[in-house]
């Protein structure tokens, strides 16, 4: 047993300049910090990120929830075994029993539980990924990266409707080769956009390129051409994060095409991207229907044999929602975002359930992220298979790629590559 001797919480800023919480957890004479990330396209089922709604930072500060938590909960956490992730989770939920942590928000528990894990690693003089691997009894692997090239939606001022067009270097045999390939695709896509008169002096929230185009499909064409221009056709595939919850208006979807607003039924919305599978090398679609659009989820399940169907908002890294999704045979992959779950233990529970059902797992950063790189250790140690942290650009993104490259350099684990997609029977490429 390694009792928690001290916890400090204070306000810091994330990659979008938004206030968030940093936690320092001390176990004996070892301590570690962790900062909570935050999303822009948040779902209704995920742990909340509560802001103070007071004058400070124009309503965006988190210092009041920190003060409340410090007074009401923190003293009760001292003395708990910091190595016991489940016990820490249970104790945190004692003081905020709602699934979404509606009293104090999920940002504080996630920062504390991650910091406890990292302090635990220091105590054991072990790399953080090793602690996760030992805990889950898994063999560490370097994940297949899914890298943002073109951004839209809530990450790029609605430049296009869908949120992410990503590159997946399925032909690469090392993480070094994989990173170079996606970098080349980003450069060539940017140059094609530039040559077509789209200003490329700015980057989106996750460091991707963007442009106000006529339609989602036009952006898809640019990325597809970018792959060809880089000479990587057949070696780099495309993944989409449609983030459909953002386009859902209660009973229909609203999208933009050539300056017009179009209303689509669930069926029309899913069929619209379903057609793209025959034209572009798409191997993965995330949130292809809105979080609670059961008809849409049912319809897209027909693509499970050809591509990864990922649930992000749909499952919100919540184990019981995932269990229903598995029972419904509606998808084959879950996005794992620790702060959606609210604690490390809950996130690992969902990841373990998914792997136990031969579902894919993609460990993911948020659009508002931080300079920390523990997410990579989580993906490597859990043998998640895939990781998504945005573009190659911007330090909060490169911090994570650089950790992956560090682990590769020290030959910590082997690169999983395309084998991470073995849960998809007839990959669409
Ligand atoms: C996502 O939707 O996968 C994502 C990373 O965005 P956000 O963090 O804004 O929810
Ligand atoms: Mg998403």
């Amino acid at each position: 047993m390694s009792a928690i001797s001290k916890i400090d919480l204070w306000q810091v800023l994330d990659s979008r300049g938004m206030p968030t919480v940093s936690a320092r957890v001390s176990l004996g004479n070892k301590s570690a910090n962790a900062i909570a990330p935050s999303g822009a396209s948040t779902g209704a089922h995920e742990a909340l990120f509560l802001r103070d709604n007071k004058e400070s930072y124009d309503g965006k500060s988190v210092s009041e929830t920190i003060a409340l938590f410090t007074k009401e909960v923190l003293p009760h956490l001292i003395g708990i075994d910091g190595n016991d992730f489940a016990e820490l989770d249970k104790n945190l939920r004692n003081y905020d029993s709602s699934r979404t942590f509606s009293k104090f928000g999920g940002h504080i528990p996630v920062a504390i539980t991650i910091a406890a894990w990292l302090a635990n690693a220091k105590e054991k003089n072990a790399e953080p990924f090793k602690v996760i691997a030992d805990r889950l009894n898994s063999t560490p692997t370097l994940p297949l990266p899914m890298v943002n090239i073109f951004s839209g939606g809530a990450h790029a001022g609605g430049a296009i409707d869908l949120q992410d067009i990503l590159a997946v270097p399925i032909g690469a045999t090392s993480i070094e080769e994989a990173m170079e390939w996606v970098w080349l695709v980003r450069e060539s896509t940017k140059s094609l956009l530039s040559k077509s008169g789209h200003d490329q002096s700015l980057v989106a929230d996750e460091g991707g390129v963007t442009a106000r185009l006529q339609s989602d499909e036009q952006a898809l064409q640019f990325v597809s051409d970018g792959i060809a221009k880089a000479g990587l056709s057949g070696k780099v595939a495309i993944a989409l994060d449609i983030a459909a919850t953002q386009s859902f208006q209660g009973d229909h979807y609203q999208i933009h095409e050539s300056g017009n607003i179009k209303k689509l039924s669930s069926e029309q919305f899913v069929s619209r991207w379903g057609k793209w599978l025959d034209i572009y090398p798409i191997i993965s679609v995330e949130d292809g229907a809105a979080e609670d659009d059961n008809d849409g989820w049912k319809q897209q399940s027909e693509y499970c044999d050809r591509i990864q169907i990922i649930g992000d908002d749909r499952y919100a890294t919540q184990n019981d929602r995932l269990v229903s999704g598995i029972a419904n045979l509606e998808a084959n992959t879950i996005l794992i975002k620790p702060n959606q779950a609210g604690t490390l233990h809950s996130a690992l529970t969902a990841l373990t359930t998914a792997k136990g059902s031969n579902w894919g797992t993609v460990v993911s950063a948020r659009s508002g992220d931080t300079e920390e790189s523990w997410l990579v250790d989580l993906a490597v140690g859990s043998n998640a298979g895939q990781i998504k942290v945005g573009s190659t650009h911007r330090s909060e993104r490169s911090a994570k790629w650089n950790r992956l490259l560090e682990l590769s350099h020290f030959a910590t684990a082997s690169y999983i590559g395309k084998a991470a997609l073995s849960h998809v029977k007839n990959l669409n490429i």
Side-chain angles (χ1 to χ4, degrees), residues 146 168 238-240 282-286 307-310 386:
M146 189 183 269
V168 188
I238 291 176
L240 304 178
I282 296 170
I283 52 137
S284 179
V285 171
E286 176 181 333
I307 59 167
Q308 265 196 151
I309 296 283
I310 309 179
Q386 295 172 77

Side-chain angles (χ1 to χ4, degrees), residues 126-398:
E127 295 275 7
F129 76 86
K130 185 84 174 65
V131 172
I132 296 287
D134 289 348
R135 190 69 52 120
L136 301 182
N137 204 11
S138 53
T139 305
T141 53
L142 303 177
L144 173 68
M146 189 183 269
V147 184
N148 172 274
I149 303 294
F150 192 105
S151 286
H155 298 171
I160 57 168
D161 290 313
L162 68 75
Q163 188 173 283
D164 281 280
I165 304 176
L166 308 106
V168 188
I170 49 167
T173 53
S174 67
I175 188 66
E176 288 77 11
E177 190 174 40
M179 293 314 297
E180 185 184 356
W181 285 5
V182 295
W183 185 92
L184 289 168
V185 170
R186 188 187 186 283
E187 288 299 304
S188 54
T189 305
K190 182 176 165 184
S191 121
L192 289 173
L193 284 160
S194 206
K195 277 188 195 132
S196 307
H198 301 285
D199 177 31
Q200 287 302 296
S201 52
L202 302 174
V203 298
D205 281 3
E206 295 192 348
V209 302
T210 188
R212 211 159 277 285
L213 301 181
Q214 293 298 308
S215 67
D216 289 347
E217 197 173 353
Q218 193 188 358
L220 190 47
Q221 188 64 58
F222 268 112
V223 175
S224 184
D225 291 346
I227 293 172
K229 183 172 188 283
L232 292 167
S233 300
K235 293 179 171 172
V236 173
I238 291 176
L240 304 178
D241 181 0
I242 307 231
T245 308
Q246 300 285 313
S247 304
F248 199 54
Q249 306 285 320
D251 61 351
H252 68 275
Y253 291 86
Q254 187 169 295
I255 56 144
H256 301 81
E257 265 176 22
S258 309
N260 300 314
I261 293 179
K262 278 192 177 172
K263 285 184 173 184
L264 302 180
S265 67
S266 286
E267 204 202 325
Q268 290 168 324
F269 186 80
V270 173
S271 304
R272 172 175 165 265
W273 63 253
K275 285 187 198 117
W276 299 340
L277 304 185
D278 297 328
I279 309 169
Y280 305 98
I282 296 170
I283 52 137
S284 179
V285 171
E286 176 181 333
D287 282 355
E291 58 196 354
D292 292 319
D293 175 15
N294 294 332
D295 292 342
W297 278 87
K298 197 166 177 199
Q299 190 186 335
Q300 63 174 331
S301 65
E302 72 176 89
Y303 302 121
C304 279
D305 278 357
R306 286 170 74 191
I307 59 167
Q308 265 196 151
I309 296 283
I310 309 179
D312 171 12
D313 292 349
R314 176 73 167 173
Y315 307 127
T317 319
Q318 309 276 344
N319 196 55
D320 56 344
R321 296 185 62 80
L322 170 65
V323 167
S324 307
I326 292 170
N328 292 341
L329 305 172
E330 64 186 22
N332 56 22
T333 305
I334 182 174
L335 206 72
I336 299 288
K337 289 170 165 169
N339 78 320
Q340 279 183 328
T343 70
L344 176 61
H345 173 72
S346 302
L348 291 177
T349 304
L351 185 142
T352 306
T353 299
K355 288 182 87 61
S357 296
N358 193 30
W359 271 37
T361 51
V362 184
V363 168
S364 171
R366 300 305 304 245
S367 52
D369 217 275
T370 78
E371 62 275 26
E372 296 178 343
S373 61
W374 46 262
L375 193 82
V376 171
D377 285 74
L378 186 62
V380 171
S382 65
N383 181 26
Q386 295 172 77
I387 190 165
K388 175 187 170 208
V389 305
S391 174
T392 44
H393 291 43
R394 294 180 54 136
S395 297
E396 77 281 5
R397 314 288 151 190
S398 54

